[in-house]
Amino acid sequence: MTVDVLRAGPLTTVQDLGRPGWAHLGVPRSGALDASALRLANRLVGNATDAAGLEVTAGGCSLRLSSAGTVALTGACAPFSVDGRPAAYGVPVAVPAGAVISVGRALYGVRSYLAVAGGIAVEPVLGSRSTDTLSGLGPAQLRDGDRLPLGSAGTPSTVDFVPWEPPPAALHLWIRLGPRDGWFTREAVEALLGTAYTMSPVSNRVGARLTGAALPRASGVQAAELPSEGVVLGAVQVPANGQPLIFLADHPTTGGYPVIGVVDDVSPLAQAAPGTTVRFHGSER
């Protein structure tokens, strides 16, 4: 059983729950940005929660199943149809052999997750089938005409309704300061924790770029060069323009700009569209 890609859309990738544990070799975790949405989609079609599905970013995609199967769409709410007939969001949907599955442009949120019974069975790399858009590990970004293998299907869920809320217009993120908050002025730290930032349209799976109050360095390190050091998921790096960047799933494992703090949980950023307000709050947890 296979899936033929008729229209890949602007950015559709294969994602599972990633490849943790390889940062010491320079390999980031990668995986679905909205892991809970992928887990839900997999449960709905009877897959293991760590099975690979498709992360469909903003612009949608169109696919064809070679044999009858079951699919489910979660994450960003988007128009969803089978052979032109509207299909339900967030429930198992039976698909006849040869039918065309279409996911439209996201109405709320950014990334939809399409699970197919059996899971996307491309060859794993370092234990994961995830596409890493920064390093190129895993399968390539989907292109028109691609054919993806599927695994053995399980028994779909009998759920007929899943509650869903649109992503909020403002996100509140908890951040632990350090390790390089000392490189910044007191006013910079106050601005980070006391003003609102806006999600930039140039954000991607590598990082969420924010625009707002610049974060100036302290006088003693204004021209200093920081040797590359390890960075982690959620690290808030501040490049030369002073605008913070939050590292997401495909982030590099080292960086040369100072990290002013680390966000406890980046998952809300998976569905944050450009223009979303982001506020940071100090965390002692």
Side-chain angles (χ1 to χ4, degrees):
M1 189 172 176
T2 59
V3 175
D4 290 326
V5 180
L6 306 181
R7 182 178 70 85
L11 180 60
T12 300
T13 58
V14 177
Q15 299 293 340
D16 54 21
L17 299 183
R19 47 180 70 85
W22 297 97
H24 63 295
L25 297 179
V27 179
R29 180 189 183 99
S30 194
L33 286 187
D34 191 342
S36 61
L38 177 62
R39 290 188 184 99
L40 173 59
N42 276 322
R43 288 197 299 269
L44 290 171
V45 300
N47 293 343
T49 55
D50 60 352
L54 298 181
E55 183 178 271
V56 185
T57 305
C61 66
S62 294
L63 314 163
R64 178 184 286 122
L65 294 189
S66 64
S67 304
T70 304
V71 300
L73 186 74
T74 61
C77 187
F80 182 37
S81 65
V82 176
D83 272 350
R85 292 185 292 273
Y89 168 95
V91 298
V93 176
V95 178
V100 175
I101 304 162
S102 294
V103 179
R105 182 176 297 275
L107 302 175
Y108 303 97
V110 178
R111 296 171 178 88
S112 301
Y113 292 84
L114 185 70
V116 184
I120 306 297
V122 296
E123 198 66 30
V125 177
L126 296 178
S128 170
R129 296 181 167 92
S130 288
T131 299
D132 183 337
T133 60
L134 182 64
S135 71
L137 284 176
Q141 172 184 334
L142 264 58
R143 298 165 296 182
D144 297 357
D146 282 351
R147 174 167 288 178
L148 304 174
L150 295 174
S152 300
T155 303
S157 168
T158 57
V159 168
D160 58 6
F161 173 77
V162 173
W164 178 83
E165 292 184 7
L171 298 181
H172 295 267
L173 303 178
W174 294 95
I175 183 173
R176 300 170 188 260
L177 294 177
R180 299 297 177 185
D181 54 310
W183 278 52
F184 297 89
T185 64
R186 184 183 65 182
E187 291 76 16
V189 174
E190 291 174 350
L192 179 72
L193 299 178
T195 64
Y197 286 84
T198 301
M199 178 75 78
S200 166
V202 296
S203 301
N204 54 30
R205 284 183 49 84
V206 176
R209 294 184 180 273
L210 305 180
T211 59
L215 305 178
R217 292 187 183 183
S219 58
V221 293
Q222 284 179 352
E225 293 291 335
L226 179 69
S228 290
E229 59 186 359
V231 293
V232 297
L233 181 69
V236 181
Q237 192 180 71
V238 184
N241 64 4
Q243 299 295 304
L245 163 68
I246 307 173
F247 279 136
L248 302 180
D250 289 352
H251 69 85
T253 52
T254 62
Y257 291 116
V259 171
I260 194 171
V262 179
V263 172
D264 286 356
D265 179 14
V266 298
S267 57
L269 293 163
Q271 302 298 352
T276 298
T277 298
V278 177
R279 289 184 176 273
F280 294 100
H281 302 277
S283 172
E284 299 298 332
R285 293 177 294 173

